[in-house]
């Protein structure tokens, strides 16, 4: 059986893909939640509206909601009564939210 030598380009692409997959696994476990984010309980209400601690809040344009694996999720994928850390913009709209993992939920909020 005659094997052709692999092209350096193919080797570079395969190596880059392997690195990206490995880094993606590590990146999904490490994330930074904004230190000024507030803690609350969030549920999806309808369309671009969520409820945080019993108060209805509109989602800002470009709002990001991240699950416990740090993946962006659509509002309808928010589990009812999810414990989150969130940020509001100047207009009082939800700008960023992080659904907390059990270990993150167990940690106390930093004292200000």
């Amino acid at each position: 059986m005659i094997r052709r030598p692999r092209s350096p380009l193919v080797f570079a692409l395969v190596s880059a893909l392997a690195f990206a997959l490995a880094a993606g696994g590590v990146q999904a476990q490490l994330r930074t939640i904004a230190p000024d984010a507030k803690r609350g309980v969030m549920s999806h209400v309808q369309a671009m509206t969520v409820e945080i601690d019993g108060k209805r809040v509109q989602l800002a344009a470009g709002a990001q909601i991240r699950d416990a694996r740090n993946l962006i999720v659509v509002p309808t994928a928010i589990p009812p009564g999810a414990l989150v850390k969130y940020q509001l913009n100047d207009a009082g709209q939800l700008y960023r939210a992080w659904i907390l993992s059990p270990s993150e939920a167990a940690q106390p909020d930093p004292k200000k």
Side-chain angles (χ1 to χ4, degrees), residues 76-112:
T76 56
I78 300 169
L83 186 58
V84 299
K85 288 228 174 169
Y86 66 94
Q87 292 178 307
L88 303 178
N89 64 12
D90 294 336
Q93 298 172 321
L94 181 73
Y95 182 64
R96 297 275 186 264
W98 297 266
I99 298 172
L100 301 179
S101 68
S103 62
E104 290 168 336
Q107 295 175 3
D109 287 338
K111 293 184 180 181
K112 295 179 182 181

Side-chain angles (χ1 to χ4, degrees), residues 43-80:
S43 300
H44 179 251
V45 176
Q46 65 182 20
M48 298 293 286
T49 305
V50 295
E51 188 174 276
I52 302 175
D53 295 334
K55 181 180 175 188
R56 289 188 178 204
V57 178
Q58 291 294 314
L59 295 177
Q64 288 186 3
I65 302 168
R66 294 185 175 269
D67 67 8
R69 296 179 300 160
N70 210 36
L71 300 174
I72 295 175
V73 296
V74 295
T76 56
I78 300 169

Side-chain angles (χ1 to χ4, degrees), residues 4-36:
R4 295 188 325 195
R6 296 200 178 185
S7 153
L9 178 61
V10 170
F11 179 76
L13 290 173
V14 170
S15 297
L17 178 61
F19 178 76
L21 291 173
V26 171
Q27 190 176 26
Q29 295 174 6
L30 302 174
R31 67 177 178 169
T32 303
I33 297 175
D36 64 336

